[in-house]
Amino acid sequence: MTTSCHALGEHGLLARLRARVPPPPAWVVLGIGDDAAVVEPSRGELDVVTTDSLVEGVHFRRDWTRPEAAGHKALAVNLSDLASMGAAPRALLLSLILPADLDLGVFDGLMDGFLALAREAGAPLVGGNLAASPGPIVIDVTAIGSARRRRVLTRSGGRAGDELFVTGTLGAAATGLALRRRYGADDTPVADDHEWRECIARYERPTARLTCGVRVGRNRAASACVDLSDGLADGVARLAEASGTGAVVVPEEVPVHPGARRWAAEAGLDPVGFALAGGEDYELLFAVPPRERRSFLATIRRVKDTTVTRIGRLTDSPGVWLDAQGQGARTPMGAGFQHF
Amino acid sequence: MTTSCHALGEHGLLARLRARVPPPPAWVVLGIGDDAAVVEPSRGELDVVTTDSLVEGVHFRRDWTRPEAAGHKALAVNLSDLASMGAAPRALLLSLILPADLDLGVFDGLMDGFLALAREAGAPLVGGNLAASPGPIVIDVTAIGSARRRRVLTRSGGRAGDELFVTGTLGAAATGLALRRRYGADDTPVADDHEWRECIARYERPTARLTCGVRVGRNRAASACVDLSDGLADGVARLAEASGTGAVVVPEEVPVHPGARRWAAEAGLDPVGFALAGGEDYELLFAVPPRERRSFLATIRRVKDTTVTRIGRLTDSPGVWLDAQGQGARTPMGAGFQHF
């Protein structure tokens, strides 16, 4: 027999949650349990704040994704926003909108995934909110980070001539989603396929490039940064627009994940186009002035398990273009994922 | 013909929103438009952070409540949490989960209500998030405020012997909800009834007691405070529990709104019991040491349109009790609203 969240009641659920939250660090003056949390700002630094949500039926399906993965991802997408600003996480708020008949095991799983990543990121959960949902699970997270004033990484600091670098590989998350669409929750068809298992993991449990963002911010080796939540094409367009420049990307240089390359080939799609349009990779896109290139690359090399690839540059001339083999024959780059 | 949010797309909706947000104050280093917002903490003060959501079908119905009122209320319930901590608002984040076919007029109305109250409260909207919903509208707000370390009002500072004071009148919001349940969206039956119109307004457009909370916090005239989101009975129980005391409330002293008194009489309910259990009044409950009473009352008197009533006291003996006419014959006090 299973127990529902309703059976525990709001106070019971809150007590269950509080029992699992580790003692907060010293800068948390007042954690979960009052009308609001009280946090000491980081001395001499600015607050960097962001909010992002995971909605059942839109961003995840309960029959595909384990609750633990959904809890992880809801936090990871927020940490990715902090990473792209060069901010270190400092405090988290969690607003859960849950169907009253939700199985308690799902609640526990969500919290498992959320709290494990929170601990790993050194980000204490200081407060939140529980509400009933007449329909989908909604996981709304607010992340508060901090960074020194002159070390905040924005989208708008890029200049024509800056080189564009992207971390990791692209298209894996889009491939993971495509695999879930084909096979549903059934992991058997991909069990022996390392690349495809990796794609599903990237889609369901993305990694925020926190260390990378924070270190590049501190070194001031990049002029601008954006995280690739909605795909590379979208990220390049946003960074260029905010910086008041154009951009050129050399498609042959785009680091496509091997699983994505295979998926695109099987589906008869251009692998680079697929990787450019596919969202949710949560890699970071940096603009780097040529004189900072060595310092930037040295910084990235010191971050464990992180690769970086130069894929293009910002330009004086407006628009965002693909330049095949860097030969100057330009075609417009498509847009990324639209949430509406 | 009406336009849907879907027709505008995410970028169109964001552009529409940004065009309506006034230029932020100086402490907002980076507002809407990047991966995260950047806010300068208030010098020498602590960050006070809270999040709360309004869910369609749970906290409001689209056929009863104008979008403008829903936008107002989603913010007011968060400002009320800051008020109860003695914190002045400093920055807001807004996460909107919206059905893709939502009429653009509803989006505009939500933003009207939200932004008008934000301006009134001096709280800039610095960031947020738009996502599609497969079902209900969800409005998730995060409010960041600030207060000096020794002036934060918590729930836990009460001591046996402290007197309990409540602002305004109670039961009005519960009556407003009951009236909506009886008459639906039809305002005709209550058009000539000032008291009942007031009850509906209190339910749909509550006022956060911001000035009150901030000034009492600064004067240190209260030992503890909680806002009455889930009713007076719940508020007294939470404050007493957090303070490690019991509490006694004299039912005859509870300031029941005249409309609530009439509604309870018509429904054959005890008006005080109705007011005790009714949530969403968003009044403040203070614990005040007797030696601070004069200073506390003088502070409240200087806040426009605010009354305050002494309703009981914190006690050494545990439990939360009603003491009819203060004669010592105690009956247990019921619980407040449960969200699950």
Side-chain angles (χ1 to χ4, degrees), chain A residues 10-11 34-35 37 39-40 47 49 84 95 140 142 155 238 338-339, chain B residues 10-11 34-35 37 39 47 49 84 95 140 142 149 155 238 338-339:
Chain A
E10 187 188 12
H11 294 290
D34 213 304
D35 287 344
V39 177
E40 192 171 346
D47 285 339
V49 292
S84 76
S95 182
D140 209 289
T142 297
R155 292 181 184 176
R238 288 182 187 223
Q338 286 270 323
H339 291 276
Chain B
E10 187 189 13
H11 293 290
D34 212 304
D35 286 344
V39 177
D47 286 338
V49 292
S84 76
S95 182
D140 210 289
T142 297
R149 185 180 289 267
R155 292 182 184 177
R238 286 182 188 223
Q338 287 270 322
H339 291 274

PDB file of all heavy atoms in Angstrom, chain A residues 10-11 34-35 37 39-40 47 49 84 95 140 142 155 238 338-339, chain B residues 10-11 34-35 37 39 47 49 84 95 140 142 149 155 238 338-339:
ATOM      1  N   GLU A  10      -0.113  19.196   5.101  1.00  0.00           N
ATOM      2  CA  GLU A  10       0.938  20.177   4.840  1.00  0.00           C
ATOM      3  C   GLU A  10       2.007  20.175   5.939  1.00  0.00           C
ATOM      4  O   GLU A  10       3.200  20.131   5.657  1.00  0.00           O
ATOM      5  CB  GLU A  10       0.323  21.569   4.725  1.00  0.00           C
ATOM      6  CG  GLU A  10       1.332  22.622   4.293  1.00  0.00           C
ATOM      7  CD  GLU A  10       0.765  24.032   4.368  1.00  0.00           C
ATOM      8  OE1 GLU A  10      -0.316  24.220   4.967  1.00  0.00           O
ATOM      9  OE2 GLU A  10       1.415  24.941   3.847  1.00  0.00           O
ATOM     10  N   HIS A  11       1.551  20.193   7.200  1.00  0.00           N
ATOM     11  CA  HIS A  11       2.516  20.248   8.299  1.00  0.00           C
ATOM     12  C   HIS A  11       3.362  18.976   8.337  1.00  0.00           C
ATOM     13  O   HIS A  11       4.564  19.023   8.594  1.00  0.00           O
ATOM     14  CB  HIS A  11       1.806  20.483   9.633  1.00  0.00           C
ATOM     15  CG  HIS A  11       1.145  21.828   9.720  1.00  0.00           C
ATOM     16  ND1 HIS A  11       1.868  22.994   9.818  1.00  0.00           N
ATOM     17  CD2 HIS A  11      -0.154  22.198   9.687  1.00  0.00           C
ATOM     18  CE1 HIS A  11       1.031  24.031   9.856  1.00  0.00           C
ATOM     19  NE2 HIS A  11      -0.198  23.576   9.773  1.00  0.00           N
ATOM     20  N   ASP A  34      10.086  29.692   9.326  1.00  0.00           N
ATOM     21  CA  ASP A  34       9.427  30.955   9.670  1.00  0.00           C
ATOM     22  C   ASP A  34       8.680  31.460   8.435  1.00  0.00           C
ATOM     23  O   ASP A  34       8.536  30.728   7.463  1.00  0.00           O
ATOM     24  CB  ASP A  34      10.460  31.969  10.186  1.00  0.00           C
ATOM     25  CG  ASP A  34       9.864  32.893  11.249  1.00  0.00           C
ATOM     26  OD1 ASP A  34       8.853  33.551  10.963  1.00  0.00           O
ATOM     27  OD2 ASP A  34      10.415  32.945  12.359  1.00  0.00           O
ATOM     28  N   ASP A  35       8.171  32.700   8.481  1.00  0.00           N
ATOM     29  CA  ASP A  35       7.459  33.230   7.320  1.00  0.00           C
ATOM     30  C   ASP A  35       8.397  33.501   6.151  1.00  0.00           C
ATOM     31  O   ASP A  35       7.963  33.557   4.994  1.00  0.00           O
ATOM     32  CB  ASP A  35       6.722  34.521   7.689  1.00  0.00           C
ATOM     33  CG  ASP A  35       5.500  34.240   8.560  1.00  0.00           C
ATOM     34  OD1 ASP A  35       5.076  33.074   8.598  1.00  0.00           O
ATOM     35  OD2 ASP A  35       4.991  35.168   9.194  1.00  0.00           O
ATOM     36  N   ALA A  37      12.983  33.276   5.062  1.00  0.00           N
ATOM     37  CA  ALA A  37      14.332  32.905   5.496  1.00  0.00           C
ATOM     38  C   ALA A  37      15.186  34.162   5.595  1.00  0.00           C
ATOM     39  O   ALA A  37      14.884  35.181   4.965  1.00  0.00           O
ATOM     40  CB  ALA A  37      14.947  31.931   4.497  1.00  0.00           C
ATOM     41  N   VAL A  39      19.160  35.468   5.274  1.00  0.00           N
ATOM     42  CA  VAL A  39      20.467  35.070   4.765  1.00  0.00           C
ATOM     43  C   VAL A  39      21.408  36.275   4.814  1.00  0.00           C
ATOM     44  O   VAL A  39      21.022  37.378   4.418  1.00  0.00           O
ATOM     45  CB  VAL A  39      20.346  34.572   3.304  1.00  0.00           C
ATOM     46  CG1 VAL A  39      21.707  34.219   2.729  1.00  0.00           C
ATOM     47  CG2 VAL A  39      19.406  33.387   3.219  1.00  0.00           C
ATOM     48  N   GLU A  40      22.605  36.065   5.304  1.00  0.00           N
ATOM     49  CA  GLU A  40      23.592  37.143   5.320  1.00  0.00           C
ATOM     50  C   GLU A  40      24.215  37.264   3.932  1.00  0.00           C
ATOM     51  O   GLU A  40      24.757  36.289   3.415  1.00  0.00           O
ATOM     52  CB  GLU A  40      24.672  36.810   6.351  1.00  0.00           C
ATOM     53  CG  GLU A  40      25.563  37.990   6.641  1.00  0.00           C
ATOM     54  CD  GLU A  40      26.491  37.715   7.820  1.00  0.00           C
ATOM     55  OE1 GLU A  40      26.267  36.740   8.567  1.00  0.00           O
ATOM     56  OE2 GLU A  40      27.454  38.480   7.959  1.00  0.00           O
ATOM     57  N   ASP A  47      24.169  40.246  -4.874  1.00  0.00           N
ATOM     58  CA  ASP A  47      23.256  39.111  -4.971  1.00  0.00           C
ATOM     59  C   ASP A  47      22.939  38.855  -6.444  1.00  0.00           C
ATOM     60  O   ASP A  47      22.598  39.790  -7.180  1.00  0.00           O
ATOM     61  CB  ASP A  47      21.932  39.416  -4.249  1.00  0.00           C
ATOM     62  CG  ASP A  47      22.056  39.362  -2.737  1.00  0.00           C
ATOM     63  OD1 ASP A  47      22.996  38.720  -2.237  1.00  0.00           O
ATOM     64  OD2 ASP A  47      21.206  39.964  -2.061  1.00  0.00           O
ATOM     65  N   VAL A  49      20.310  36.629  -8.619  1.00  0.00           N
ATOM     66  CA  VAL A  49      19.087  35.877  -8.328  1.00  0.00           C
ATOM     67  C   VAL A  49      18.394  35.418  -9.606  1.00  0.00           C
ATOM     68  O   VAL A  49      18.313  36.151 -10.587  1.00  0.00           O
ATOM     69  CB  VAL A  49      18.112  36.711  -7.476  1.00  0.00           C
ATOM     70  CG1 VAL A  49      18.688  36.927  -6.083  1.00  0.00           C
ATOM     71  CG2 VAL A  49      17.787  38.053  -8.096  1.00  0.00           C
ATOM     72  N   SER A  84      26.286  30.801 -15.524  1.00  0.00           N
ATOM     73  CA  SER A  84      26.494  31.667 -16.686  1.00  0.00           C
ATOM     74  C   SER A  84      26.713  33.120 -16.281  1.00  0.00           C
ATOM     75  O   SER A  84      27.148  33.932 -17.101  1.00  0.00           O
ATOM     76  CB  SER A  84      25.315  31.559 -17.648  1.00  0.00           C
ATOM     77  OG  SER A  84      24.217  32.269 -17.135  1.00  0.00           O
ATOM     78  N   SER A  95       9.583  25.992  -4.366  1.00  0.00           N
ATOM     79  CA  SER A  95       8.127  26.064  -4.326  1.00  0.00           C
ATOM     80  C   SER A  95       7.580  24.849  -5.060  1.00  0.00           C
ATOM     81  O   SER A  95       7.798  24.685  -6.255  1.00  0.00           O
ATOM     82  CB  SER A  95       7.677  27.364  -5.006  1.00  0.00           C
ATOM     83  OG  SER A  95       6.288  27.489  -4.959  1.00  0.00           O
ATOM     84  N   ASP A 140       9.173  24.851  -8.775  1.00  0.00           N
ATOM     85  CA  ASP A 140       9.679  26.188  -9.047  1.00  0.00           C
ATOM     86  C   ASP A 140      10.818  26.481  -8.071  1.00  0.00           C
ATOM     87  O   ASP A 140      10.621  26.434  -6.862  1.00  0.00           O
ATOM     88  CB  ASP A 140       8.537  27.186  -8.866  1.00  0.00           C
ATOM     89  CG  ASP A 140       8.714  28.393  -9.743  1.00  0.00           C
ATOM     90  OD1 ASP A 140       9.617  29.190  -9.468  1.00  0.00           O
ATOM     91  OD2 ASP A 140       7.958  28.534 -10.701  1.00  0.00           O
ATOM     92  N   THR A 142      14.037  29.006  -6.832  1.00  0.00           N
ATOM     93  CA  THR A 142      14.749  30.282  -6.875  1.00  0.00           C
ATOM     94  C   THR A 142      16.144  30.051  -6.318  1.00  0.00           C
ATOM     95  O   THR A 142      16.293  29.471  -5.239  1.00  0.00           O
ATOM     96  CB  THR A 142      14.030  31.357  -6.047  1.00  0.00           C
ATOM     97  OG1 THR A 142      12.744  31.598  -6.617  1.00  0.00           O
ATOM     98  CG2 THR A 142      14.822  32.665  -6.031  1.00  0.00           C
ATOM     99  N   ARG A 155      25.475  38.855 -20.516  1.00  0.00           N
ATOM    100  CA  ARG A 155      25.379  38.541 -21.942  1.00  0.00           C
ATOM    101  C   ARG A 155      25.912  39.668 -22.803  1.00  0.00           C
ATOM    102  O   ARG A 155      26.180  39.469 -23.986  1.00  0.00           O
ATOM    103  CB  ARG A 155      23.910  38.361 -22.329  1.00  0.00           C
ATOM    104  CG  ARG A 155      23.262  37.165 -21.749  1.00  0.00           C
ATOM    105  CD  ARG A 155      21.822  37.121 -22.242  1.00  0.00           C
ATOM    106  NE  ARG A 155      21.119  36.015 -21.609  1.00  0.00           N
ATOM    107  CZ  ARG A 155      19.842  35.746 -21.769  1.00  0.00           C
ATOM    108  NH1 ARG A 155      19.111  36.521 -22.563  1.00  0.00           N
ATOM    109  NH2 ARG A 155      19.280  34.732 -21.168  1.00  0.00           N
ATOM    110  N   ARG A 238      21.168  35.422 -28.644  1.00  0.00           N
ATOM    111  CA  ARG A 238      20.931  36.276 -27.477  1.00  0.00           C
ATOM    112  C   ARG A 238      22.178  37.013 -27.045  1.00  0.00           C
ATOM    113  O   ARG A 238      22.138  38.185 -26.676  1.00  0.00           O
ATOM    114  CB  ARG A 238      20.417  35.433 -26.307  1.00  0.00           C
ATOM    115  CG  ARG A 238      18.989  34.963 -26.530  1.00  0.00           C
ATOM    116  CD  ARG A 238      18.495  34.178 -25.325  1.00  0.00           C
ATOM    117  NE  ARG A 238      17.190  33.597 -25.608  1.00  0.00           N
ATOM    118  CZ  ARG A 238      16.172  33.594 -24.746  1.00  0.00           C
ATOM    119  NH1 ARG A 238      16.324  34.126 -23.555  1.00  0.00           N
ATOM    120  NH2 ARG A 238      15.025  33.058 -25.070  1.00  0.00           N
ATOM    121  N   GLN A 338      11.253  27.454 -28.477  1.00  0.00           N
ATOM    122  CA  GLN A 338      10.284  28.443 -27.995  1.00  0.00           C
ATOM    123  C   GLN A 338       9.404  27.788 -26.940  1.00  0.00           C
ATOM    124  O   GLN A 338       8.850  26.717 -27.166  1.00  0.00           O
ATOM    125  CB  GLN A 338       9.405  28.924 -29.152  1.00  0.00           C
ATOM    126  CG  GLN A 338      10.105  29.852 -30.115  1.00  0.00           C
ATOM    127  CD  GLN A 338       9.966  31.313 -29.726  1.00  0.00           C
ATOM    128  OE1 GLN A 338       8.931  31.730 -29.244  1.00  0.00           O
ATOM    129  NE2 GLN A 338      11.030  32.068 -29.889  1.00  0.00           N
ATOM    130  N   HIS A 339       9.268  28.449 -25.795  1.00  0.00           N
ATOM    131  CA  HIS A 339       8.479  27.857 -24.711  1.00  0.00           C
ATOM    132  C   HIS A 339       6.981  28.013 -24.925  1.00  0.00           C
ATOM    133  O   HIS A 339       6.197  27.402 -24.228  1.00  0.00           O
ATOM    134  CB  HIS A 339       8.876  28.468 -23.378  1.00  0.00           C
ATOM    135  CG  HIS A 339      10.245  28.075 -22.952  1.00  0.00           C
ATOM    136  ND1 HIS A 339      10.501  26.909 -22.295  1.00  0.00           N
ATOM    137  CD2 HIS A 339      11.441  28.674 -23.142  1.00  0.00           C
ATOM    138  CE1 HIS A 339      11.799  26.814 -22.062  1.00  0.00           C
ATOM    139  NE2 HIS A 339      12.387  27.857 -22.569  1.00  0.00           N
TER     140      HIS A 339
ATOM    141  N   GLU B  10       7.295  33.235 -26.691  1.00  0.00           N
ATOM    142  CA  GLU B  10       7.978  33.578 -25.442  1.00  0.00           C
ATOM    143  C   GLU B  10       8.697  34.924 -25.527  1.00  0.00           C
ATOM    144  O   GLU B  10       8.580  35.761 -24.641  1.00  0.00           O
ATOM    145  CB  GLU B  10       8.982  32.470 -25.100  1.00  0.00           C
ATOM    146  CG  GLU B  10       9.616  32.661 -23.741  1.00  0.00           C
ATOM    147  CD  GLU B  10      10.770  31.690 -23.505  1.00  0.00           C
ATOM    148  OE1 GLU B  10      11.217  31.049 -24.470  1.00  0.00           O
ATOM    149  OE2 GLU B  10      11.209  31.600 -22.358  1.00  0.00           O
ATOM    150  N   HIS B  11       9.447  35.126 -26.628  1.00  0.00           N
ATOM    151  CA  HIS B  11      10.207  36.369 -26.741  1.00  0.00           C
ATOM    152  C   HIS B  11       9.269  37.574 -26.842  1.00  0.00           C
ATOM    153  O   HIS B  11       9.530  38.625 -26.256  1.00  0.00           O
ATOM    154  CB  HIS B  11      11.154  36.314 -27.943  1.00  0.00           C
ATOM    155  CG  HIS B  11      12.253  35.294 -27.786  1.00  0.00           C
ATOM    156  ND1 HIS B  11      13.274  35.444 -26.890  1.00  0.00           N
ATOM    157  CD2 HIS B  11      12.455  34.099 -28.374  1.00  0.00           C
ATOM    158  CE1 HIS B  11      14.084  34.393 -26.948  1.00  0.00           C
ATOM    159  NE2 HIS B  11      13.597  33.555 -27.838  1.00  0.00           N
ATOM    160  N   ASP B  34      18.802  39.129 -18.589  1.00  0.00           N
ATOM    161  CA  ASP B  34      19.982  38.264 -18.655  1.00  0.00           C
ATOM    162  C   ASP B  34      19.605  36.906 -18.063  1.00  0.00           C
ATOM    163  O   ASP B  34      18.431  36.626 -17.831  1.00  0.00           O
ATOM    164  CB  ASP B  34      21.161  38.917 -17.915  1.00  0.00           C
ATOM    165  CG  ASP B  34      22.505  38.558 -18.556  1.00  0.00           C
ATOM    166  OD1 ASP B  34      22.784  37.353 -18.685  1.00  0.00           O
ATOM    167  OD2 ASP B  34      23.246  39.470 -18.924  1.00  0.00           O
ATOM    168  N   ASP B  35      20.587  36.030 -17.828  1.00  0.00           N
ATOM    169  CA  ASP B  35      20.268  34.723 -17.257  1.00  0.00           C
ATOM    170  C   ASP B  35      19.830  34.835 -15.805  1.00  0.00           C
ATOM    171  O   ASP B  35      19.165  33.943 -15.280  1.00  0.00           O
ATOM    172  CB  ASP B  35      21.491  33.792 -17.355  1.00  0.00           C
ATOM    173  CG  ASP B  35      21.710  33.316 -18.782  1.00  0.00           C
ATOM    174  OD1 ASP B  35      20.777  33.455 -19.603  1.00  0.00           O
ATOM    175  OD2 ASP B  35      22.802  32.823 -19.088  1.00  0.00           O
ATOM    176  N   ALA B  37      19.258  38.082 -12.424  1.00  0.00           N
ATOM    177  CA  ALA B  37      19.304  39.501 -12.061  1.00  0.00           C
ATOM    178  C   ALA B  37      20.421  39.719 -11.053  1.00  0.00           C
ATOM    179  O   ALA B  37      20.837  38.787 -10.369  1.00  0.00           O
ATOM    180  CB  ALA B  37      17.971  39.932 -11.477  1.00  0.00           C
ATOM    181  N   VAL B  39      21.498  42.235  -7.860  1.00  0.00           N
ATOM    182  CA  VAL B  39      20.951  43.208  -6.925  1.00  0.00           C
ATOM    183  C   VAL B  39      22.003  43.494  -5.855  1.00  0.00           C
ATOM    184  O   VAL B  39      22.619  42.569  -5.328  1.00  0.00           O
ATOM    185  CB  VAL B  39      19.670  42.647  -6.262  1.00  0.00           C
ATOM    186  CG1 VAL B  39      19.125  43.615  -5.226  1.00  0.00           C
ATOM    187  CG2 VAL B  39      18.621  42.312  -7.314  1.00  0.00           C
ATOM    188  N   ASP B  47      19.512  39.754   3.987  1.00  0.00           N
ATOM    189  CA  ASP B  47      18.494  39.423   2.990  1.00  0.00           C
ATOM    190  C   ASP B  47      17.395  38.602   3.657  1.00  0.00           C
ATOM    191  O   ASP B  47      17.679  37.623   4.354  1.00  0.00           O
ATOM    192  CB  ASP B  47      19.103  38.569   1.862  1.00  0.00           C
ATOM    193  CG  ASP B  47      19.979  39.372   0.912  1.00  0.00           C
ATOM    194  OD1 ASP B  47      19.813  40.605   0.837  1.00  0.00           O
ATOM    195  OD2 ASP B  47      20.826  38.765   0.241  1.00  0.00           O
ATOM    196  N   VAL B  49      14.164  36.398   2.516  1.00  0.00           N
ATOM    197  CA  VAL B  49      13.664  35.855   1.255  1.00  0.00           C
ATOM    198  C   VAL B  49      12.495  34.896   1.471  1.00  0.00           C
ATOM    199  O   VAL B  49      12.497  34.097   2.407  1.00  0.00           O
ATOM    200  CB  VAL B  49      14.792  35.129   0.478  1.00  0.00           C
ATOM    201  CG1 VAL B  49      15.826  36.128   0.007  1.00  0.00           C
ATOM    202  CG2 VAL B  49      15.460  34.064   1.324  1.00  0.00           C
ATOM    203  N   SER B  84       5.710  40.366   8.005  1.00  0.00           N
ATOM    204  CA  SER B  84       5.713  39.668   9.290  1.00  0.00           C
ATOM    205  C   SER B  84       7.128  39.443   9.815  1.00  0.00           C
ATOM    206  O   SER B  84       7.309  39.093  10.978  1.00  0.00           O
ATOM    207  CB  SER B  84       4.978  38.338   9.166  1.00  0.00           C
ATOM    208  OG  SER B  84       5.789  37.403   8.501  1.00  0.00           O
ATOM    209  N   SER B  95       7.604  33.987 -11.545  1.00  0.00           N
ATOM    210  CA  SER B  95       7.598  32.817 -12.407  1.00  0.00           C
ATOM    211  C   SER B  95       6.151  32.535 -12.804  1.00  0.00           C
ATOM    212  O   SER B  95       5.320  32.242 -11.958  1.00  0.00           O
ATOM    213  CB  SER B  95       8.199  31.635 -11.635  1.00  0.00           C
ATOM    214  OG  SER B  95       8.244  30.497 -12.450  1.00  0.00           O
ATOM    215  N   ASP B 140       4.033  32.131  -9.412  1.00  0.00           N
ATOM    216  CA  ASP B 140       4.963  31.877  -8.323  1.00  0.00           C
ATOM    217  C   ASP B 140       5.849  33.108  -8.146  1.00  0.00           C
ATOM    218  O   ASP B 140       6.539  33.511  -9.077  1.00  0.00           O
ATOM    219  CB  ASP B 140       5.809  30.649  -8.670  1.00  0.00           C
ATOM    220  CG  ASP B 140       6.237  29.911  -7.424  1.00  0.00           C
ATOM    221  OD1 ASP B 140       7.080  30.447  -6.698  1.00  0.00           O
ATOM    222  OD2 ASP B 140       5.719  28.826  -7.179  1.00  0.00           O
ATOM    223  N   THR B 142       8.800  35.238  -5.884  1.00  0.00           N
ATOM    224  CA  THR B 142       9.825  35.284  -4.840  1.00  0.00           C
ATOM    225  C   THR B 142      10.055  36.742  -4.479  1.00  0.00           C
ATOM    226  O   THR B 142      10.247  37.572  -5.366  1.00  0.00           O
ATOM    227  CB  THR B 142      11.143  34.659  -5.332  1.00  0.00           C
ATOM    228  OG1 THR B 142      10.917  33.275  -5.615  1.00  0.00           O
ATOM    229  CG2 THR B 142      12.236  34.771  -4.271  1.00  0.00           C
ATOM    230  N   ARG B 149      20.010  43.059  11.404  1.00  0.00           N
ATOM    231  CA  ARG B 149      20.074  41.777  12.083  1.00  0.00           C
ATOM    232  C   ARG B 149      19.218  41.733  13.346  1.00  0.00           C
ATOM    233  O   ARG B 149      18.446  40.811  13.538  1.00  0.00           O
ATOM    234  CB  ARG B 149      21.531  41.447  12.442  1.00  0.00           C
ATOM    235  CG  ARG B 149      21.715  40.059  13.053  1.00  0.00           C
ATOM    236  CD  ARG B 149      23.176  39.812  13.391  1.00  0.00           C
ATOM    237  NE  ARG B 149      23.984  39.633  12.199  1.00  0.00           N
ATOM    238  CZ  ARG B 149      24.263  38.444  11.647  1.00  0.00           C
ATOM    239  NH1 ARG B 149      23.783  37.334  12.194  1.00  0.00           N
ATOM    240  NH2 ARG B 149      25.006  38.349  10.579  1.00  0.00           N
ATOM    241  N   ARG B 155       9.121  34.259  14.458  1.00  0.00           N
ATOM    242  CA  ARG B 155       7.997  33.665  15.184  1.00  0.00           C
ATOM    243  C   ARG B 155       8.405  33.244  16.593  1.00  0.00           C
ATOM    244  O   ARG B 155       7.564  33.012  17.439  1.00  0.00           O
ATOM    245  CB  ARG B 155       7.544  32.387  14.485  1.00  0.00           C
ATOM    246  CG  ARG B 155       6.907  32.593  13.158  1.00  0.00           C
ATOM    247  CD  ARG B 155       6.477  31.246  12.608  1.00  0.00           C
ATOM    248  NE  ARG B 155       5.941  31.422  11.264  1.00  0.00           N
ATOM    249  CZ  ARG B 155       5.534  30.443  10.491  1.00  0.00           C
ATOM    250  NH1 ARG B 155       5.605  29.190  10.915  1.00  0.00           N
ATOM    251  NH2 ARG B 155       5.054  30.682   9.296  1.00  0.00           N
ATOM    252  N   ARG B 238       1.239  28.499  15.690  1.00  0.00           N
ATOM    253  CA  ARG B 238       2.600  28.492  15.150  1.00  0.00           C
ATOM    254  C   ARG B 238       3.522  29.410  15.953  1.00  0.00           C
ATOM    255  O   ARG B 238       4.682  29.065  16.211  1.00  0.00           O
ATOM    256  CB  ARG B 238       2.587  28.951  13.691  1.00  0.00           C
ATOM    257  CG  ARG B 238       2.029  27.896  12.774  1.00  0.00           C
ATOM    258  CD  ARG B 238       2.077  28.359  11.340  1.00  0.00           C
ATOM    259  NE  ARG B 238       1.368  27.435  10.472  1.00  0.00           N
ATOM    260  CZ  ARG B 238       1.837  27.036   9.289  1.00  0.00           C
ATOM    261  NH1 ARG B 238       2.990  27.462   8.849  1.00  0.00           N
ATOM    262  NH2 ARG B 238       1.140  26.202   8.553  1.00  0.00           N
ATOM    263  N   GLN B 338      -5.594  23.819   6.044  1.00  0.00           N
ATOM    264  CA  GLN B 338      -4.571  22.874   5.585  1.00  0.00           C
ATOM    265  C   GLN B 338      -4.512  22.909   4.061  1.00  0.00           C
ATOM    266  O   GLN B 338      -5.535  22.774   3.409  1.00  0.00           O
ATOM    267  CB  GLN B 338      -4.931  21.447   6.045  1.00  0.00           C
ATOM    268  CG  GLN B 338      -4.722  21.207   7.528  1.00  0.00           C
ATOM    269  CD  GLN B 338      -3.329  20.708   7.836  1.00  0.00           C
ATOM    270  OE1 GLN B 338      -2.771  19.925   7.094  1.00  0.00           O
ATOM    271  NE2 GLN B 338      -2.752  21.188   8.913  1.00  0.00           N
ATOM    272  N   HIS B 339      -3.310  23.061   3.530  1.00  0.00           N
ATOM    273  CA  HIS B 339      -3.180  23.158   2.073  1.00  0.00           C
ATOM    274  C   HIS B 339      -3.278  21.811   1.384  1.00  0.00           C
ATOM    275  O   HIS B 339      -3.374  21.736   0.175  1.00  0.00           O
ATOM    276  CB  HIS B 339      -1.867  23.839   1.712  1.00  0.00           C
ATOM    277  CG  HIS B 339      -1.861  25.275   2.081  1.00  0.00           C
ATOM    278  ND1 HIS B 339      -2.352  26.251   1.260  1.00  0.00           N
ATOM    279  CD2 HIS B 339      -1.480  25.911   3.219  1.00  0.00           C
ATOM    280  CE1 HIS B 339      -2.244  27.428   1.845  1.00  0.00           C
ATOM    281  NE2 HIS B 339      -1.717  27.250   3.034  1.00  0.00           N
TER     282      HIS B 339
END
